[in-house]
């Protein structure tokens, strides 16, 4: 189905038979959103919500680390009303720093327990909208051509054969990469985790700004392996790229992609409308509709078969409260910058 037809169908499913009249759209006003999922999903939200409600959505795309930095910079004069998506740790940090608004949605009971826990941990200043596990992406053609083994564990990534062949994002700008650090610390203990990351550094070809850039580089044959959220693999494969994914045998963490209303939002009522709409089963179809394969948080939302099967993945008991704390994030990223990123490769 073409995107235009898909937008129309999903707008109908959301309760809009046609676009609102111009007068209604003018009365409905606007909402300013930072969107931290992939552009196609952001664009779908922007188009369908406007078509459904008449509310104009001003959308800016930011990685979750950059989004948090923007909210901090705007604290005295917020220009953003709602932050959608991106790893949950920065959303918890925004809540801790009093950057987001306490709002207890009537829809909470419709969500999976992990999404409800995210809301409760934040004092109801954020909520889980999707989840996805961390793992590896790899280019199947390059792996075969270079006669490399498929990495099946964190330990495998240290093999000399992968020197210069791995990409991962920079944790200062990417929630994906911070999730990697927090996962390794919880899996191995902090000292062993940093020794591991120092050894891994020798095999890293590039630290990218965004968390999705490494798997896009894998898809286009610019690197062989990425450390990524594995739900991004089927997105690239659906476009015909030779990408496969795997989760590490020792265990891995998972993100809880979240959503928060900004404290001091200029368009608060419209932000609440978008927040409630984004928690509905109908709206949570838009991820898969735009080839984004995270697990939706609404229990009634259909689950695409390409969404990673959490039952087959060895997940650690990720401590979202501890590693979502501002001081812990700053400390771990500062240590990574000093002890890992400063090393030669």
């Amino acid at each position: 189905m073409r995107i235009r037809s898909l937008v129309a169908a999903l707008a109908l499913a959301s309760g809009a038979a046609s676009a609102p009249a111009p007068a209604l759209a003018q009365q409905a006003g606007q909402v300013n959103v930072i969107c931290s999922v992939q552009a196609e999903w952001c664009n779908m939200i922007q188009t369908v919500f406007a078509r459904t409600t008449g509310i104009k959505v001003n959308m800016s795309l930011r990685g979750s680390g950059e989004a948090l930095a923007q909210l901090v910079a705007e604290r005295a004069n917020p220009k953003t009303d709602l932050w959608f998506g991106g790893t949950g740790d920065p959303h918890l940090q925004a809540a801790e720093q009093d950057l987001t608004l306490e709002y207890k949605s009537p829809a909470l009971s419709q969500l999976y327990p992990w999404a409800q826990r995210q809301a409760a941990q934040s004092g109801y200043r954020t909520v889980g909208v999707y989840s996805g596990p961390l793992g590896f992406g790899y280019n199947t053609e390059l792996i075969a051509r270079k006669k490399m083994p498929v990495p099946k564990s964190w330990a495998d990534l240290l093999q000399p054969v992968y020197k210069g062949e791995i990409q991962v994002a920079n944790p200062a700008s990417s929630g994906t990469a911070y999730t990697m650090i927090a996962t390794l610390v919880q899996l191995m203990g902090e000292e062993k985790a940093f020794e591991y990351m120092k050894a891994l550094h020798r095999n890293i070809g590039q630290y990218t700004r965004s968390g999705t850039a490494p798997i896009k580089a894998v898809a286009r044959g610019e690197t062989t392996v990425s450390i990524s959220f594995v739900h991004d693999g089927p997105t690239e494969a659906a476009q015909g790229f030779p990408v496969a994914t795997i989760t590490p045998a020792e265990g891995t963490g998972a993100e809880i992609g979240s959503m928060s209303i900004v404290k001091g939002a200029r368009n608060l009522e419209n932000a609440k409308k978008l927040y409630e709409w984004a928690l509905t089963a109908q709206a949570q179809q838009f991820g898969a509709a735009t080839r984004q394969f995270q697990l939706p948080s609404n229990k009634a939302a259909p689950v695409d078969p390409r969404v990673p099967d959490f039952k087959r993945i060895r997940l650690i008991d990720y401590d979202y409260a501890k590693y979502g704390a501002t001081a812990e994030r700053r400390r771990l990223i500062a240590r990574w910058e000093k002890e890992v990123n400063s090393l030669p490769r």
Side-chain angles (χ1 to χ4, degrees):
M1 184 183 287
R2 293 183 179 179
I3 290 293
R4 187 175 296 176
S5 301
L6 186 58
V7 168
L10 290 173
L12 282 168
S14 296
S18 59
L24 175 60
Q26 190 172 8
Q27 290 174 357
Q30 63 182 352
V31 62
N32 301 314
V33 178
I34 292 177
C35 191
S36 297
V37 294
Q38 292 204 37
E40 295 83 0
W41 192 354
C42 297
N43 294 339
M44 179 72 83
I45 291 168
Q46 182 180 36
T47 302
V48 178
F49 183 72
R51 187 165 184 169
T52 302
T53 64
I55 297 169
K56 181 183 178 184
V57 181
N58 302 312
M59 185 83 76
S60 60
L61 276 61
R62 300 280 187 274
S64 53
E66 293 176 316
L68 177 60
Q70 181 173 330
L71 295 191
V72 170
E74 293 179 358
R75 178 194 291 272
N77 185 24
K79 299 177 177 63
T80 304
D81 302 310
L82 183 133
W83 175 15
F84 179 88
T87 52
D89 293 333
H91 283 267
L92 291 171
Q93 289 146 31
E96 180 193 351
Q97 295 178 57
D98 198 29
L99 295 168
T100 49
L101 186 71
E102 181 180 345
Y103 177 67
K104 195 169 184 178
S105 169
L108 277 174
S109 63
Q110 301 171 26
L111 309 182
Y112 285 110
W114 49 263
Q116 295 186 43
R117 281 195 299 272
Q118 183 80 344
Q121 285 179 351
S122 70
Y124 299 96
R125 291 172 183 255
T126 194
V127 67
V129 288
Y130 61 79
S131 185
L134 187 70
F136 315 142
Y138 59 95
N139 186 299
T140 56
E141 292 179 357
L142 285 180
I143 283 271
R145 188 184 312 150
K146 295 182 179 183
K147 298 182 179 179
M148 292 180 178
V150 172
K152 297 179 181 179
S153 65
W154 292 107
D156 284 350
L157 294 185
L158 301 185
Q159 294 180 37
V161 70
Y162 296 116
K163 184 173 177 58
E165 299 286 346
I166 302 170
Q167 283 192 18
V168 65
N170 187 311
S173 59
S174 164
T176 306
Y178 177 70
T179 301
M180 178 195 73
I181 293 176
T183 293
L184 291 171
V185 167
Q186 291 170 86
L187 186 65
M188 302 176 179
E190 186 167 332
E191 297 310 314
K192 288 185 178 178
F194 272 87
E195 288 304 314
Y196 172 84
M197 286 186 282
K198 291 174 192 176
L200 177 66
H201 180 77
R202 294 193 290 267
N203 286 351
I204 300 296
Q206 183 181 355
Y207 292 106
T208 64
R209 183 179 63 83
S210 78
T212 57
I215 202 159
K216 290 181 179 296
V218 164
R220 287 149 185 79
E222 297 164 7
T223 192
T224 306
V225 176
S226 68
I227 301 173
S228 315
F229 288 120
V230 296
H231 51 249
D232 291 329
T235 301
E236 302 301 328
Q239 298 177 66
F241 292 108
V243 175
T245 60
I246 193 167
T247 53
E250 303 99 326
T252 193
E255 69 166 332
I256 296 179
S258 300
M259 175 173 59
S260 307
I261 297 173
V262 177
K263 189 172 184 179
R266 298 176 184 180
N267 303 288
L268 179 57
E269 291 310 309
N270 285 344
K272 288 180 179 179
K273 288 176 183 177
L274 179 50
Y275 188 104
E276 291 299 335
W277 177 84
L279 292 179
T280 64
Q282 291 83 4
Q284 290 197 0
Q285 296 179 68
F286 303 156
T290 52
R291 297 173 176 173
Q292 316 297 310
F293 300 110
Q294 293 95 328
L295 177 68
S297 66
N298 190 302
K299 292 178 281 190
V303 178
D304 189 280
R306 289 167 287 188
V307 170
D309 185 352
F310 280 65
K311 295 175 183 176
R312 296 172 176 246
I313 296 168
R314 188 173 183 179
L315 291 169
I316 65 169
D317 185 14
Y318 194 106
D319 189 338
Y320 294 98
K322 178 177 180 178
Y323 294 95
T326 301
E328 188 68 358
R329 177 179 182 271
R330 286 177 179 166
R331 185 184 72 80
L332 288 174
I333 292 174
R335 184 173 182 183
W336 180 86
E337 289 282 5
K338 180 180 179 181
E339 296 185 18
V340 179
N341 200 30
S342 63
L343 296 173
R345 290 201 300 274

